[in-house]
Amino acid sequence: MRKALCVSVALLASGAANAESEAQWGYSGAKGPENWAELSPDNFACAGKNQAPINLTGFIEAELQPITFDYQKGAEQILNNGHTVQVNYEQGSSIDVDGITFDLKQFHFHAPSENHIDGESYPLEAHLVHASDEGDLAVVAVMFEEDTANEGLKKAWTKMPEQAGEERALPSSVRAEDILPENRDHYRFNGSLTTPPCTEGVRWLVMKQPLTASSEQIERFADVLHEPNNRPLQPVNARPVLQ
């Protein structure tokens, strides 16, 4: 598991934007989600029992400790890896969860949302991906409703790469903080990466308060990817969803 986590962190940080990795999996057809586990021995976890995304429901009341955010300016580049549009972040930003510091590696987007909340799907979801020094992973998820334009997205979208494999430098004004809601109350569950190799043991921290994005912002992202990039919902099985 440790080896898989380390490989996952490397892929998440780099964006895995080479042509070979692009060809290994997709969101439809023979290389779609239902076949990920069979596409490579490395993807065995995609058939696991603790996979993400899920429909968050049946909440269990718990005394969840607040997430301590320490986000700085640090966006380096925005890239289109063929599966999403991703903003890579330089060292220096982190969250603290369970007394562990997780460094922010990158954030990326899915349209429509991968996770659902009480059966509701959202037109856009952001995943802020973090890793600890030990290789453990934590993902902060933020939902977007269609309404007024989002200023944080606007700054990043000005450099939106149109073609798979394309990357562009970003101005320092692009900040992860700008795609976080003011209210940091959250749901929590144990899950996995939502893309191959589907590594499990990921702490999922889903913000309760959604943000807004304009229809133009959502459509521009969807148009660049040419198809939905949401993995279907996975069985919750025996996992608790805490709030």
Side-chain angles (χ1 to χ4, degrees), residues 70-147:
D70 183 16
Y71 282 178
Q72 311 296 323
K73 292 181 179 179
E76 290 186 299
Q77 61 183 192
I78 185 170
L79 65 90
N80 178 338
N81 64 15
H83 303 304
T84 189
V85 171
Q86 175 176 307
V87 173
N88 289 334
Y89 232 71
E90 63 185 28
Q91 283 288 104
S93 294
S94 64
I95 59 173
D96 189 271
V97 180
D98 300 333
I100 302 170
T101 298
F102 294 84
D103 295 321
L104 176 62
K105 300 297 183 180
Q106 49 98 337
F107 59 87
H108 63 267
F109 301 88
H110 295 270
S113 70
E114 296 201 296
N115 292 293
H116 294 189
I117 299 177
D118 262 338
E120 182 178 357
S121 171
Y122 292 78
L124 186 69
E125 179 177 357
H127 291 166
L128 297 101
V129 183
H130 308 74
S132 73
D133 288 343
E134 297 299 314
D136 295 313
L137 303 174
V139 178
V140 174
V142 181
M143 303 298 179
F144 290 81
E145 298 174 323
E146 184 178 315
D147 201 325

